[in-house]
C-alpha cells in the first residue's frame, strides 16, 4: 500500500523570516538584543512591575546556559551589556520574576521551545552559518500517512538550488529529545550551512529531509524502537514518491543528534545496509541499555551487514562537558569490541549544544556521497 501523500507549497528562502531564521533576513539587526562591534551584547526588557529580570543564554562555559541579571532603569526598562561573546548563533530567554519569557522585541522563534529567541554574533567562526550572497535552497514540507503512528505526519525538506537532471542522494537529519522537525531549520541553521557548502563546491547537491522523530522507543533497544519502521517503511517511500531521488542504499544517509543519535544507531543495527552513511552527534546508549544490547543482542552487533552495508560511519561528540560524553565513550568501546568500523571527531569548544551539532553537520555533509553517483537508482 502506497503512503497517501500531499505536497504542500514550497517556501522560498526569502519567505518566512519570522518563523525560519535561516532566511536572508536572519542577519538583519533586531530591536533586541543589540550586538556591538566589540561583540558585547546589550539586552533590554521593559517590565515596570517586575522585581527581577534575568537573561538566560547559551554563552556560558562550553556554550552551556548561564544566567545574568539585568539592572532596572528609568520607566521600568531593564538592561544588561555582556562581556564580549565568542562569535556564534545564540539562544536566550528572559526570566521575569522567575517566569521564562520570550523576548517580544526579537521576531526569531524556536518552534519546539516557544520561549527562546536567537541572535548572531558575527565573526570568522560564524562564517559557515552566516547568510551570504549565494544561491539559496528551498524549504518545504512533506505530509504523509504513517502506519506506525496511524496519523498524518510532516517532515521538512531542503531542496538544493538549481536544476538537477540526475536523481539526488538524500540525507535524513534527526533532531534531539524535546525537539521537532523544525529544529534543524531554526537553531540548527542547516539550510544556511548547506547553501554555503554547496556554493563553495564542498558538498554534492542532495535532498535533505528533516523528520519528526517523536515516535516511541528511542531510548531502548533496537527492537523496541519504532523509528526504523517509521523512516524506512513510511517516510522514505513518501520522499521517493514526491522527489526525484536515488533509491539505492548508497544514495541515502542518516544522522541524528542526542536522542536522534540513539535512533540512528538503532536503525543501523536493526536495518543494516538500508543506508550507506551513518552520522551520530553527541549520543550514546545508556549503561543499562548497552549492557542488555551486548548480553541479549550480540547477534545484531556481529551482523556483517553493519560494516559491509555502511560506507561511512562517523561519530561526533562535544567535550567532556557534553552530558552524553560518558555514554558516547562507552558506546564507541562496544562498537570497537564488536568490530563495527567507525571514525570519531570530538568538538572541543562545545558541549551538548547547537554549537557542537552545527559544526558536526558542517563536517559530516562534506563526507557524504563521495562515491561516484553512477549507481543505478
Amino acid at each position: 500500500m502506497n503512503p497517501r501523500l500531499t505536497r504542500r507549497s514550497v517556501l522560498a528562502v526569502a519567505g518566512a523570516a519570522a518563523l525560519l531564521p535561516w532566511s536572508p533576513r536572519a542577519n538583519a539587526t533586531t530591536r533586541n538584543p543589540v550586538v556591538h562591534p566589540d561583540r558585547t551584547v546589550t539586552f533590554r526588557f521593559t517590565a515596570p512591575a517586575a522585581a527581577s529580570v534575568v537573561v538566560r543564554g547559551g554563552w556560558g562555559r562550553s556554550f552551556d546556559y548561564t544566567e545574568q541579571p539585568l539592572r532596572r532603569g528609568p520607566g521600568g526598562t531593564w538592561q544588561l551589556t555582556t562581556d564580549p561573546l565568542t562569535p556564534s548563533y545564540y539562544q536566550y530567554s528572559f526570566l521575569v520574576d522567575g517566569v521564562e519569557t520570550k523576548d517580544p522585541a526579537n521576531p526569531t522563534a524556536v518552534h519546539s521551545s516557544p520561549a527562546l529567541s536567537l541572535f548572531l554574533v558575527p565573526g570568522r567562526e560564524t562564517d559557515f552559518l552566516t547568510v551570504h550572497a549565494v544561491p539559496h535552497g528551498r524549504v518545504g514540507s512533506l505530509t504523509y500517512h504513517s502506519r506506525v503512528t496511524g496519523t498524518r505526519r510532516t517532515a521538512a525538506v531542503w531542496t538544493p538550488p538549481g536544476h538537477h537532471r540526475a536523481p539526488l542522494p538524500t540525507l535524513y537529519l534527526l533532531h534531539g529529545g524535546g525537539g521537532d522537525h523544525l529544529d534543524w531549520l531554526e537553531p540548527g541553521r542547516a539550510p544556511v550551512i548547506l547553501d554555503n557548502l554547496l556554493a563553495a563546491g564542498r558538498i554534492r547537491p542532495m535532498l535533505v529531509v528533516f523528520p519528526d522523530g517523536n515516535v516511541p522507543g528511542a531510548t531502548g533497544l533496537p527492537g523496541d524502537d519504532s523509528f526504523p519502521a517509521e523512516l524506512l517503511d513510511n517516510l522514505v517511500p513518501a520522499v521517493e514518491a514526491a522527489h526525484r531521488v536515488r533509491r539505492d542504499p548508497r544514495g541515502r544517509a542518516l544522522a541524528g543528534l542526542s536522542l536522534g543519535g540513539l535512533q540512528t544507531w538503532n536503525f543501523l543495527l536493526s536495518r543494516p545496509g538500508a543506508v550507506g552513511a551513518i552520522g551520530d552527534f553527541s549520543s550514546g546508549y545508556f549503561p543499562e541499555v548497552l549492557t542488555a544490547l551486548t548480553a541479549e543482542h550480540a547477534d545484531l552487533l556481529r551482523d556483517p551487514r553493519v560494516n559491509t552495508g555502511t560506507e561511512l560511519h562517523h561519530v561526533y561528540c562535544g567535550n567532556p562537558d557534553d552530558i552524553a560524553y560518558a555514554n558516547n565513550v562507552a558506546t564507541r568501546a562496544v562498537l570497537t569490541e564488536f568490530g563495527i568500523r567507525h571514525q570519531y571527531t570530538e568538538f572541543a569548544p562545545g558541549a551538548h549544544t547547537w554549537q557542537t551539532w552545527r559544526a558536526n553537520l558542517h563536517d559530516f555533509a562534506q563526507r557524504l556521497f563521495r562515491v561516484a553517483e553512477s549507481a543505478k537508482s
Side-chain angles (χ1 to χ4, degrees):
M1 178 178 176
N2 291 328
R4 295 166 56 197
L5 306 177
T6 62
R7 291 286 301 276
R8 295 175 63 183
S9 59
V10 176
L11 298 175
V13 173
L19 177 61
L20 304 177
W22 44 264
S23 77
R25 282 179 278 176
N27 295 339
T29 301
T30 59
R31 289 191 292 133
N32 200 52
V34 177
V35 180
H36 303 288
D38 64 355
R39 303 200 313 274
T40 61
V41 180
T42 296
F43 294 90
R44 296 183 179 90
F45 194 91
T46 301
S52 70
V53 177
V54 172
V55 64
R56 181 175 184 269
W59 49 85
R61 189 182 79 169
S62 300
F63 297 109
D64 55 1
Y65 274 86
T66 186
E67 296 180 1
Q68 295 179 263
L70 280 65
R71 178 175 296 180
R72 185 185 181 99
T77 297
W78 300 72
Q79 182 169 312
L80 165 74
T81 297
T82 68
D83 292 334
L85 300 184
T86 301
S88 189
Y89 194 53
Y90 292 103
Q91 300 179 162
Y92 72 98
S93 61
F94 290 108
L95 302 177
V96 182
D97 290 341
V99 178
E100 188 172 29
T101 305
K102 189 187 184 310
D103 185 351
N106 187 333
T108 62
V110 179
H111 183 260
S112 62
S113 299
L116 293 178
S117 300
L118 303 146
F119 70 95
L120 178 72
V121 176
R124 179 182 56 82
E125 297 93 331
T126 59
D127 187 67
F128 78 100
L129 51 84
T130 298
V131 175
H132 295 295
V134 300
H136 299 296
R138 297 170 70 89
V139 172
S141 59
L142 174 66
T143 303
Y144 65 99
H145 178 75
S146 167
R147 294 186 296 279
V148 167
T149 64
T151 62
R152 296 185 69 76
R153 311 195 78 226
T154 300
V157 181
W158 179 83
T159 305
H163 300 283
H164 306 282
R165 298 179 61 185
L168 294 171
T170 306
L171 166 63
Y172 293 86
L173 191 57
L174 290 168
H175 58 82
D180 63 23
H181 62 295
L182 296 182
D183 273 15
W184 272 108
L185 308 183
E186 296 168 344
R189 245 168 134 69
V192 176
I193 295 169
L194 296 165
D195 286 345
N196 292 338
L197 286 172
L198 187 60
R202 296 170 69 179
I203 61 171
R204 291 181 181 274
M206 66 182 79
L207 192 81
V208 182
V209 179
F210 308 93
D212 180 353
N214 290 300
V215 294
T219 58
L221 293 165
D224 300 327
D225 190 350
S226 61
F227 176 75
E230 174 68 11
L231 179 66
L232 195 59
D233 302 338
N234 293 275
L235 180 55
V236 167
V239 170
E240 292 180 349
H243 295 274
R244 183 171 170 76
V245 294
R246 289 172 54 178
R247 302 190 177 196
D248 60 300
R250 292 188 177 186
R252 303 185 195 119
L254 172 65
L257 69 89
S258 193
L259 192 70
L262 293 177
Q263 291 173 314
T264 297
W265 270 327
N266 280 345
F267 185 96
L268 172 67
L269 295 175
S270 63
R271 303 292 185 101
V275 300
I278 291 289
D280 200 278
F281 308 164
S282 287
S283 194
Y285 285 107
F286 295 102
E288 62 277 11
V289 177
L290 197 60
T291 298
L293 180 64
T294 56
E296 303 169 21
H297 300 282
D299 57 320
L300 299 179
L301 295 164
R302 293 193 178 101
D303 190 328
R305 294 174 298 172
V306 172
N307 281 331
T308 60
T310 307
E311 292 186 318
L312 171 66
H313 182 183
H314 205 104
V315 181
Y316 301 82
C317 201
N319 65 18
D321 289 332
D322 191 326
I323 59 172
Y325 192 85
N327 289 351
N328 185 275
V329 170
T331 300
R332 286 188 285 111
V334 168
L335 297 179
T336 299
E337 176 187 351
F338 282 85
I340 297 176
R341 295 191 298 269
H342 63 283
Q343 301 166 309
Y344 176 66
T345 298
E346 187 167 306
F347 184 63
H352 206 71
T353 66
W354 279 107
Q355 280 79 0
T356 298
W357 306 324
R358 295 184 203 110
N360 296 163
L361 172 61
H362 184 257
D363 181 82
F364 184 66
Q366 295 180 70
R367 300 174 184 269
L368 294 177
F369 311 122
R370 291 183 173 181
V371 176
E373 294 197 46
S374 58
K376 294 182 180 179
S377 58

